[in-house]
C-alpha cells in the first residue's frame, strides 16, 4: 500500500511542477489572432491576463513598431478604461502607397480600469497597412499592477524558437492570398452599400388586384357595347 502512496505523491509533485512551469507561458500578454496577411488591414485584440493573486492590473501600454510604422490605427472603446493614443515623428519618413509617412502611432495606453486576479481583458485595435517585406511585427507591452509592480513583456522571439522569459506580443505576417486587403471589416475603405430589400407586396394581394382590374375592364366593355346597341335601335325607330 505504501508503494501506491509513494507513486501518487511523485505523480502529484510532477503535475505541480509541470503546471508551475507552464503557468508563466500562459500568463503573458498576447495578440489575437496571431497572424495577418502582408499588405492588408486587420483587427486584433491585445489579451491581458492578470497573473497576480494579491493585485489587479490597472494599466497596460503597447508600443508600436517605428521601423515598419502603421498609417492607420484606431481603437475600440473598453468600458471602464481610458485610452491614450500617442503619435510621434518617425526617425525618417517611410514611403507607403498612400504617400510618405512622417508621423505614426508609437504607443497606446489603457488605464483607469482594473483586471482582477483570475480575470483577463482584451483591448481591440484596427490597424494597417501591414508591411509586405517582413514576416512579423513585435509589440512590446508593459503591465502595471495596483501594487506598483511593473512587468515588461518586451523580449523578442529567439531565432531558434525557444521560450523567452518575458515574450512580447508578436503578429505573424503571411503572404496575401486575396486582394491584399486582409480583414475587410478593418479596412478604411467605405463599406459596401446595403443590398436592396425585396418587395414586401403579398403575391395573393397582387393577384387579387389584377383580377379586380380585369373584372372592371370587362364590365366597362359590356356597358359600351350596350350603349352602341341602344343607339342603333333608336336610329332605326326614327321616322324617315
Amino acid at each position: 500500500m505504501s508503494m501506491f502512496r509513494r507513486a501518487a505523491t511523485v505523480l502529484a509533485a510532477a503535475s505541480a511542477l509541470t503546471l508551475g512551469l507552464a503557468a508563466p507561458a500562459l500568463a503573458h500578454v498576447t495578440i489575437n489572432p496571431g497572424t495577418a496577411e502582408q499588405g492588408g488591414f486587420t483587427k486584433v485584440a491585445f489579451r491581458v491576463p492578470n497573473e497576480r493573486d494579491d493585485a489587479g492590473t490597472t494599466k497596460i501600454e503597447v508600443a508600436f513598431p517605428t521601423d515598419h510604422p502603421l498609417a492607420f490605427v484606431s481603437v475600440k472603446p473598453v468600458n471602464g478604461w481610458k485610452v491614450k493614443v500617442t503619435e510621434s515623428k518617425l526617425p525618417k519618413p517611410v514611403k507607403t502607397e498612400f504617400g510618405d509617412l512622417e508621423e505614426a502611432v508609437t504607443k497606446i495606453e489603457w488605464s483607469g480600469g482594473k483586471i482582477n486576479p483570475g480575470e483577463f481583458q482584451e483591448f481591440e485595435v484596427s490597424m494597417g497597412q501591414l508591411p509586405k517585406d517582413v514576416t512579423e511585427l513585435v509589440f512590446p507591452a508593459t503591465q502595471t499592477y495596483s501594487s506598483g509592480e511593473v512587468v515588461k513583456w518586451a523580449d523578442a522571439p529567439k531565432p531558434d524558437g525557444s521560450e523567452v522569459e518575458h515574450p512580447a506580443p508578436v503578429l505573424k505576417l503571411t503572404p496575401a492570398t486575396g486582394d491584399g486587403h486582409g480583414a475587410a471589416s478593418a479596412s478604411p475603405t467605405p463599406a459596401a452599400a446595403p443590398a436592396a430589400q425585396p418587395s414586401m407586396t403579398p403575391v395573393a394581394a397582387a393577384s387579387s388586384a389584377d383580377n379586380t382590374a380585369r373584372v372592371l375592364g370587362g364590365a366597362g366593355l359590356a356597358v359600351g357595347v350596350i350603349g352602341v346597341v341602344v343607339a342603333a335601335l333608336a336610329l332605326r325607330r326614327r321616322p324617315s
Side-chain angles (χ1 to χ4, degrees):
M1 193 69 175
S2 60
M3 181 178 64
F4 289 105
R5 289 180 178 177
R6 290 178 183 177
T9 302
V10 172
L11 180 60
S15 300
L17 178 61
T18 302
L19 293 174
L21 293 176
L26 297 174
H28 59 265
V29 178
T30 58
I31 187 170
N32 299 277
T35 61
E37 290 187 0
Q38 294 173 333
F41 296 82
T42 188
K43 183 186 75 171
V44 299
F46 291 96
R47 183 174 297 167
V48 183
N50 189 82
E51 58 175 3
R52 297 292 181 265
D53 296 330
D54 56 351
T57 298
T58 56
K59 185 169 70 172
I60 182 74
E61 300 176 38
V62 176
F64 278 61
T66 56
D67 52 347
H68 295 90
L70 303 172
F72 302 97
V73 177
S74 59
V75 296
K76 183 177 182 179
V78 180
N79 188 33
W81 291 79
K82 297 181 294 183
V83 60
K84 179 182 179 182
V85 180
T86 301
E87 291 189 12
S88 304
K89 191 175 183 64
L90 299 174
K92 62 179 181 179
V94 176
K95 291 186 178 297
T96 70
E97 63 180 75
F98 303 101
D100 289 346
L101 189 63
E102 297 182 354
E103 292 186 355
V105 172
T106 55
K107 184 175 69 173
I108 300 180
E109 175 187 306
W110 290 270
S111 62
K114 188 176 183 180
I115 308 173
N116 294 313
E119 299 178 350
F120 74 92
Q121 181 63 265
E122 290 187 334
F123 303 92
E124 294 183 329
V125 177
S126 174
M127 58 189 182
Q129 184 179 15
L130 300 176
K132 302 177 182 179
D133 55 349
V134 295
T135 58
E136 65 182 25
L137 291 177
V138 181
F139 298 84
T142 303
Q143 185 174 10
T144 302
Y145 291 91
S146 57
S147 62
E149 180 187 6
V150 176
V151 178
K152 293 184 177 295
W153 303 99
D155 295 343
K158 291 183 179 181
D160 60 2
S162 59
E163 184 73 19
V164 293
E165 185 177 359
H166 294 92
V170 176
L171 179 65
K172 298 288 186 180
L173 301 181
T174 60
T177 57
D179 57 4
H181 288 294
S185 62
S187 172
T189 54
Q197 296 296 324
S199 173
M200 299 302 292
T201 304
V203 175
S207 300
S208 177
D210 185 59
N211 291 336
T212 303
R214 289 180 181 180
V215 172
L216 292 178
L221 180 61
V223 172
V225 171
I226 293 174
V228 171
V229 172
V230 171
L233 291 176
L235 289 175
R236 291 184 61 183
R237 292 178 180 180
R238 184 178 296 175
S240 57

